[in-house]
Amino acid sequence: MGFLADALSRVQPSATIAVTQKARELKAQGRDIISLSVGEPDFDTPENIKKAAIDAIVRGETKYTPVSGITPLREAIVKKFKRENGLDYKASQTIVCTGGKQVLYNAFVSTLNKGDEVIIPAPYWVSYPDMVLLCGGEPVFVPTTLEKGFKLQAADLDRAITPRTKWIILNSPSNPSGAAYTRDELKAITDVLVRHPHVWVLTDDMYEHLTFGDFVFTTPAQIEPNLMDRTLTMNGVSKAYAMTGWRIGYAAGPDKLMKAMDMVQGQQTSGACSISQWAAVEALNGPQDFIQVSRKAFEGRRDLVVSMLNQASLLDCPMPEGAFYVYPSCARAIGKTTQSGKVIKTDEDFVTELLEAEGVAAVHGTAFGLGPNFRISYATSNELLEDACAKIQRFTASLR
Ligand SMILES: Cc1ncc(COP(=O)(O)O)c(C=O)c1O
């Protein structure tokens, strides 16, 4: 019998963290590296939110909080879901967690039994399958295509559902593709789910506020109220308010699930950081103008990056609706040879050689379950993005 838990052999370290580490090592060797691998806004947290946290410290809000969160924050979450999503939840149906990550973990650990299946459209955020595996479930991947905008198709979902399906994870706008479902596209998905009453829906709406142009964000329980009693609607302040380090995520759902998640969290971390919770109250209840400012900045960067990548030879970059990622295909670069004589056989080879040759760090698509592609996070300055895209253009032009 080994010392480590069997479940651990089922999970992998995060590929995005591995790329970031490699880039850091090259930087330490003195190389000029542009890292486009990180998944967080480059903006600072807005001043009013920081001040709310400082005020909370001064007031002495420094003790344990209730497990599912302080009442003012749970009430702010109820108001947010009503105001922005037209959803009616009671404060008792909400939970505040240490990041969106803990929402997912609580949900899976409190519901998955051995052999339970969780449908995950690919490409997916790296943590979904590993969390499912850690909690004893089986991820079931449903691939999407670039031609269909990396969006799950109703017929493919229908085919993937079995009597063992417990959850489907939906994530719009998506990490890693930036794809976001229109109301009609999401309705096609919820129509299938209505016909399968044993399947629960976990909707990860973390990038809700980062959509561009006239795109209108919608969430499953809003489109199909019949799904309300089997949907966990998850969101957070990390991406919307540039608060990744504060570690506050939240969710709302049916009573029996929320009670179970509260129990799990009570034996694990208890309430999230008291100071961060007060900061999140201000984020949700205070002025919302930061969202428009960051959305405008990200939209300009998306346009810049998509245009420059489509000018690069051998790359095809679709225009995503949201988030701060693009997910170009490098299929036409497979089989080509670099200046240093290496043959590019996979998307992982592509990003490795790109990093070696030009010092630009991106993450290979197979890490997100769909390739040959790569993910670029454009949460950095226009100047660096222009420089990085010019280097990518030079790299693809050099392939023979
Ligand atoms: C799709 C998605 N969901 C959830 C999270 C978790 O966010 P946090 O734990 O910072 O709230 C992330 C962070 O990268 C993400 O990309």
Side-chain angles (χ1 to χ4, degrees), residues 39 99-101 125 128 171 175 204 206-207 234 238-239 247:
K101 269 193 169 160
W125 181 43
Y128 297 145
N171 172 220
N175 177 3
D204 177 343
M206 203 51 102
Y207 295 91
M234 166 195 154
S238 289
K239 320 281 173 167
R247 311 308 302 129

Side-chain angles (χ1 to χ4, degrees), residues 74 78 88-94 252 255:
R74 296 178 82 187
V78 167
D88 284 302
Y89 288 112
K90 297 195 288 277
S92 61
Q93 293 176 306
T94 65
D255 296 311

Side-chain angles (χ1 to χ4, degrees), residues 266-319:
Q267 299 294 16
Q268 192 193 32
T269 50
S270 295
C273 166
S274 59
I275 297 148
S276 297
Q277 289 192 60
W278 282 102
V281 171
E282 173 64 17
L284 294 181
N285 286 347
Q288 300 293 304
D289 31 318
F290 172 78
I291 287 175
Q292 297 310 329
V293 174
S294 80
R295 176 185 280 168
K296 265 261 134 334
F298 281 128
E299 182 165 3
R301 293 166 180 185
R302 174 200 64 167
D303 294 347
L304 168 78
V305 168
V306 170
S307 148
M308 285 189 78
L309 291 180
N310 279 324
Q311 285 163 36
S313 48
L314 308 175
L315 296 183
D316 298 287
C317 186
M319 177 72 87

Side-chain angles (χ1 to χ4, degrees), residues 173-366:
S174 151
N175 177 3
S177 71
Y181 292 74
T182 63
R183 175 176 270 273
D184 287 351
E185 287 165 343
L186 201 50
K187 180 78 168 61
I189 301 293
T190 58
D191 283 351
V192 173
L193 294 169
V194 167
R195 286 192 274 108
H196 297 278
H198 68 291
V199 180
W200 281 60
V201 184
L202 200 167
T203 179
D204 177 343
D205 298 349
M206 203 51 102
Y207 295 91
E208 164 176 11
H209 289 299
L210 294 173
T211 62
F212 311 128
D214 51 11
F215 185 90
V216 179
F217 173 87
T218 45
T219 189
Q222 173 186 24
I223 289 186
E224 184 48 80
N226 286 324
L227 291 178
M228 190 79 174
D229 61 2
R230 51 186 167 107
T231 297
L232 182 66
T233 304
M234 166 195 154
N235 214 311
V237 295
S238 289
K239 320 281 173 167
Y241 304 96
M243 292 176 70
T244 47
W246 299 75
R247 311 308 302 129
I248 296 289
Y250 58 87
D255 296 311
K256 71 173 175 191
L257 173 63
M258 305 322 289
K259 274 203 191 91
M261 288 171 65
D262 175 272
M263 192 178 70
V264 167
Q265 186 163 304
Q267 299 294 16
Q268 192 193 32
T269 50
S270 295
C273 166
S274 59
I275 297 148
S276 297
Q277 289 192 60
W278 282 102
V281 171
E282 173 64 17
L284 294 181
N285 286 347
Q288 300 293 304
D289 31 318
F290 172 78
I291 287 175
Q292 297 310 329
V293 174
S294 80
R295 176 185 280 168
K296 265 261 134 334
F298 281 128
E299 182 165 3
R301 293 166 180 185
R302 174 200 64 167
D303 294 347
L304 168 78
V305 168
V306 170
S307 148
M308 285 189 78
L309 291 180
N310 279 324
Q311 285 163 36
S313 48
L314 308 175
L315 296 183
D316 298 287
C317 186
M319 177 72 87
E321 293 88 353
F324 41 71
Y325 308 103
V326 290
Y327 202 63
S329 162
C330 56
R332 290 189 288 127
I334 303 297
K336 304 277 181 198
T337 307
T338 64
Q339 292 288 298
S340 60
K342 299 232 178 65
V343 179
I344 294 180
K345 298 200 200 77
T346 61
D347 53 16
E348 190 165 5
D349 290 345
F350 181 88
V351 296
T352 306
E353 295 309 319
L354 173 64
L355 182 56
E356 287 292 336
E358 294 288 352
V360 175
V363 188
H364 53 290
T366 41

